[in-house]
Amino acid sequence: DTCPALTSRASSARGLRMSEPARVASTDGGAESNGDGGAPSNAEEEVETQHVLLEGQHAEQEASGLLRFHVVRNDGEAESLMTLIEVKNIYTMQLPKMGAEYIVRLVLKPDHSSLICRHNGQVVGAITYRPHMTQTFAEIAFCCVSATHQVQGYGTRMMNQLKEQAKREGIEYLLTYADDHAVNYFKKQG
C-alpha cells in the first residue's frame, strides 16, 4: 500500500517538485492558449476571470474564518477520528471504485496525514498523504472535494495549502498515481 491510486486503475504518475518556485506557486488559474500560439480565447479569458474571482472569495473567507485548512492525523483523539471518518465518507462517495476498506485503512493509518478543507465548519474536501521524510517526498493517496462543493475552486485551494504545508514539513516533492480522469487536475496544479 505504498503506492495507492486515486482510482482503481493507476495509469500515470505525477510529481510536483516543491523547491521550484514556479511550480509551488502554480494554480489552476493559468490560461492555456487556443492552440494557434496567440492570445487566449474569450472562453479561456472567462475561465481565468472566474478563477481569479474564486481565489479572491476564498481569501476573504479564510481571513474571516469561514474557510479553514488544517492537518489531521490519527492520534487516537476522538475529535481527530471523527474528522477522519468525515473525510473517509467523502472519499468513499467520490471514489467508489477504491473500496471502503482500502480507504479506511489508509485514512486511519498513523503514518498518513490529511489536509482538511472546512467551509462554515463542514468538511468539504481533503487530501490524504504519506510523508516519506528520509527521501523528502510525500505520496498523495487521495484528493477529493464533496460533490456539492466541486467546481468552486476548493481543489485548487487545497493543493496550494498542501504545497505550503509540505514546505513547512521539509517535503520537496509530492507524488501521486492518478487515472486518466485525475491526471488533468494534477497537471493544472503544477
Side-chain angles (χ1 to χ4, degrees):
D1 63 309
T2 60
C3 295
L6 291 176
T7 63
S8 60
R9 48 177 240 285
S11 62
S12 180
R14 290 288 300 161
L16 297 140
R17 180 164 168 69
M18 300 314 300
S19 60
E20 294 175 6
R23 290 199 171 196
V24 172
S26 71
T27 66
D28 68 355
E32 298 177 11
S33 77
N34 57 12
D36 64 5
S41 69
N42 288 341
E44 291 166 331
E45 287 176 1
E46 209 171 289
V47 167
E48 173 67 17
T49 300
Q50 183 65 27
H51 287 153
V52 169
L53 291 173
L54 283 172
E55 279 294 311
Q57 285 177 339
H58 289 162
E60 289 174 11
Q61 290 174 352
E62 277 186 79
S64 72
L66 186 62
L67 184 62
R68 198 168 69 86
F69 297 89
H70 60 105
V71 175
V72 176
R73 293 173 186 84
N74 183 356
D75 57 8
E77 296 294 322
E79 185 176 345
S80 299
L81 291 171
M82 289 187 326
T83 299
L84 292 172
I85 294 302
E86 288 181 75
V87 167
K88 182 269 310 178
N89 290 340
I90 291 173
Y91 291 159
T92 55
M93 291 296 293
Q94 297 305 116
L95 302 170
K97 293 180 183 178
M98 292 303 300
E101 287 179 24
Y102 179 69
I103 291 170
V104 168
R105 184 164 43 103
L106 292 186
V107 169
L108 294 180
K109 281 184 89 170
D111 62 350
H112 283 61
S113 299
S114 293
L115 180 109
I116 311 298
C117 175
R118 287 185 183 272
H119 184 267
N120 203 17
Q122 177 187 5
V123 175
V124 298
I127 300 175
T128 297
Y129 61 100
R130 179 180 178 198
H132 296 268
M133 297 312 297
T134 58
Q135 292 101 2
T136 67
F137 81 93
E139 181 180 10
I140 298 173
F142 306 111
C143 174
C144 282
V145 174
S146 69
T148 56
H149 292 88
Q150 288 187 6
V151 195
Q152 296 177 40
Y154 291 113
T156 296
R157 199 75 173 177
M158 284 190 320
M159 187 57 71
N160 289 338
Q161 292 288 329
L162 179 62
K163 290 174 187 179
E164 293 303 314
Q165 178 66 28
K167 286 193 277 186
R168 286 190 293 273
E169 291 182 23
I171 294 168
E172 295 181 37
Y173 300 92
L174 295 172
L175 172 74
T176 193
Y177 289 87
D179 71 359
D180 294 335
H181 179 72
V183 167
N184 286 333
Y185 167 78
F186 286 103
K187 282 182 179 178
K188 289 192 312 184
Q189 302 310 312

